[in-house]
Amino acid sequence: NVGGSTWMLMANGKIYACGRNDNGQLGVGNTATPINTFTQEALGKTDWVDIEVCSSGTVNVNLFAIEYE
């Protein structure tokens, strides 16, 4: 959980997220906030292999997703 949001990489290669989304940071295709149930990211991809979350304090949070090609 970083910055009030949580992301999960599932075994099937999909990414789901929930939590704060006021700036669209969950990548679910809208800016509704909060999102209280895990929702698949808007691209609908199924070949993600890793996610990394980096934070520089409580304001700036970046999510990096790595796709297998």
Side-chain angles (χ1 to χ4, degrees):
N1 183 319
V2 179
S5 303
T6 302
W7 294 272
M8 296 187 309
L9 175 60
M10 308 302 288
N12 63 6
K14 295 179 182 180
I15 294 176
Y16 287 82
C18 72
R20 287 190 55 198
N21 191 45
D22 44 317
N23 294 307
Q25 62 264 42
L26 296 183
V28 296
N30 62 53
T31 56
T33 193
I35 294 180
N36 295 318
T37 58
F38 281 97
T39 305
Q40 186 179 0
E41 52 82 25
L43 296 175
K45 296 186 176 254
T46 60
D47 51 0
W48 300 110
V49 294
D50 191 20
I51 55 176
E52 297 292 330
V53 179
C54 302
S55 175
S56 57
T58 59
V59 177
N60 297 318
V61 176
N62 299 298
L63 174 74
F64 299 94
I66 301 169
E67 181 180 9
Y68 176 76
E69 291 189 314

